[in-house]
Amino acid sequence: MKGKNVLVTGAGCLGASVVKRCLAGGASVTVVDVSESNLAANGEGVRTIRADITDPDAMKKAAAGADIVIHTAAALDGAAELQEKVNVVGTRTVAQAAAEAGVERLVHVSSNAVYGIHQRSVITEDTPPSPSNQAYAITKAAAEDALREVAAATGLSYTVIRPAGIFGPGAEYFAASFYKRGKRKPFIFIGNGAGAMYCAFVDDVADLVAVAAVHPAAEGEVFNCVIDPAPTQRQFIAAWSRLSGHDRYLGIPTFLAKFGGLVAKPFAKEGTYLRELNANLDHVNRYVRIDSSKAKTLLDWEPSYTLESGVQATIPWLRRVGLMDDALKRSDQSEPS
């Protein structure tokens, strides 16, 4: 990546890690985001552009002169219309701008959510997408289709990365939220905890993205990015709870949660997790493996972080943002009670 001009869309948790990885590899980096605060968090030596990825003119200007485009920007939640606009229209716009700029490759960050919740056997990159009725899963699958349509029409070189739930510094849900909930004694969760918790440490995802951006074997390919085998939900939860000195878990039986889902469904918005709660609960105790060996085979790449080492690497960020108070700082290495 040395000497390359890289355009990164999105300056959030993953985008920030990608920027650092590209800089470390000797690239010149431009990052585009709609959030001024996200852009301001970038260090020196990074060109920043405040723009909407769905704006064709803005993206055409941003992509001009880029050798590589790394597309991390996405709407993770919110109204279905917003997710459709950002995830699908935005991806098409970024891909078209990249094609017109003649970039060497576009790396698109998708999600393992495209596989859906009904898979019963080992999931590989050849497993056909079958997204659930949640807006995020639907729009991320549609975004991949939009990218391929642009590539077919223009000859754009691309790679798709499908990461699992991203945890680590800056991850509001899979780190901050689970840490805060993990302080409860016990940690209350739905199910018996035996289901798979697909996850990947943020720096590992950024590293795979950077490798795929320049590796000849990555062209036109899809790669899963996940700790393989994935920890169970209970193991994932316990890793955060132990930072507070315990690993107590209380599982709510799924049949009780399903009853609550039936009551809440009429009041929930279409495309939200609550709206599709009962469908999601059908797989909450199921363990299906997502195979990540393709990246090792084609790119000689595999994750550097385990669940435990990733959680430990997140502690400085938890302290910096004020989530880990003084009383808990001493329990970093606490044994489970």
Side-chain angles (χ1 to χ4, degrees):
M1 188 163 283
K2 187 174 182 180
K4 301 291 186 182
N5 293 316
V6 180
L7 172 66
V8 179
T9 69
C13 171
L14 177 58
S17 185
V18 168
V19 168
K20 291 177 182 177
R21 173 62 177 79
C22 291
L23 289 174
S28 298
V29 180
T30 299
V31 60
V32 58
D33 199 297
V34 293
S35 169
E36 191 67 51
S37 60
N38 281 353
L39 292 172
N42 285 276
E44 295 182 3
V46 179
R47 177 180 173 230
T48 61
I49 300 174
R50 186 177 183 184
D52 189 328
I53 63 168
T54 66
D55 182 336
D57 290 335
M59 290 313 304
K60 184 176 181 178
K61 292 177 182 178
D67 299 308
I68 295 166
V69 173
I70 298 174
H71 180 40
T72 78
L76 305 180
D77 52 25
E81 295 79 10
L82 171 65
Q83 295 187 62
E84 170 74 20
K85 179 182 178 182
V86 175
N87 296 345
V88 184
V89 177
T91 296
R92 186 183 299 277
T93 303
V94 170
Q96 191 64 50
E100 292 180 14
V103 303
E104 297 169 12
R105 184 165 299 161
L106 183 152
V107 180
H108 171 60
V109 179
S110 183
S111 169
N112 71 338
V114 303
Y115 294 120
I117 59 177
H118 301 294
Q119 305 294 344
R120 296 281 181 170
S121 57
V122 176
I123 298 169
T124 72
E125 290 85 351
D126 293 328
T127 300
S130 180
S132 69
N133 289 329
Q134 289 176 251
Y136 179 70
I138 292 171
T139 57
K140 291 301 281 187
E144 290 190 17
D145 291 339
L147 169 61
R148 292 188 179 93
E149 289 171 6
V150 173
T154 64
L156 173 68
S157 172
Y158 71 91
T159 302
V160 175
I161 307 297
R162 291 175 179 162
I166 296 174
F167 73 102
E172 291 297 329
Y173 181 70
F174 283 100
S177 175
F178 272 84
Y179 171 72
K180 287 186 284 189
R181 293 158 69 190
K183 290 194 288 186
R184 302 172 185 166
K185 300 180 181 180
F187 187 112
I188 301 174
F189 205 68
I190 297 173
N192 60 20
M197 180 63 85
Y198 307 116
C199 59
F201 188 68
V202 61
D203 288 354
D204 276 335
V205 182
D207 191 52
L208 177 55
V209 164
V211 170
V214 296
H215 201 296
E219 182 173 3
E221 298 289 348
V222 177
F223 296 96
N224 292 330
C225 187
V226 59
I227 294 174
D228 177 23
T232 65
Q233 294 170 4
R234 186 160 185 170
Q235 288 170 335
F236 186 81
I237 290 165
W240 298 103
S241 296
R242 282 197 291 270
L243 297 183
S244 300
H246 77 98
D247 62 355
R248 301 171 195 163
Y249 175 92
L250 176 61
I252 298 174
T254 53
F255 75 87
L256 291 178
K258 281 189 173 185
F259 177 76
L262 289 173
V263 174
K265 185 172 182 176
F267 307 99
K269 293 183 179 180
E270 194 71 36
T272 62
Y273 186 88
L274 185 58
R275 179 79 175 186
E276 305 301 329
L277 179 62
N278 286 353
N280 283 282
L281 288 173
D282 285 338
H283 84 293
V284 73
N285 294 329
R286 186 187 309 152
Y287 192 100
V288 176
R289 178 182 165 223
I290 295 182
D291 186 336
S292 66
S293 63
K294 182 178 177 180
K296 173 65 175 176
T297 301
L298 291 188
L299 309 181
D300 194 27
W301 182 93
E302 56 188 343
S304 297
Y305 287 85
T306 64
L307 169 60
E308 291 295 341
S309 64
V311 168
Q312 289 300 310
T314 308
I315 290 174
W317 175 74
L318 293 173
R319 291 174 173 169
R320 188 164 63 251
V321 298
L323 290 177
M324 182 176 280
D325 57 36
D326 290 338
L328 294 174
K329 289 178 183 180
R330 297 188 298 273
S331 65
D332 295 352
Q333 306 300 324
S334 295
E335 293 295 327
S337 58

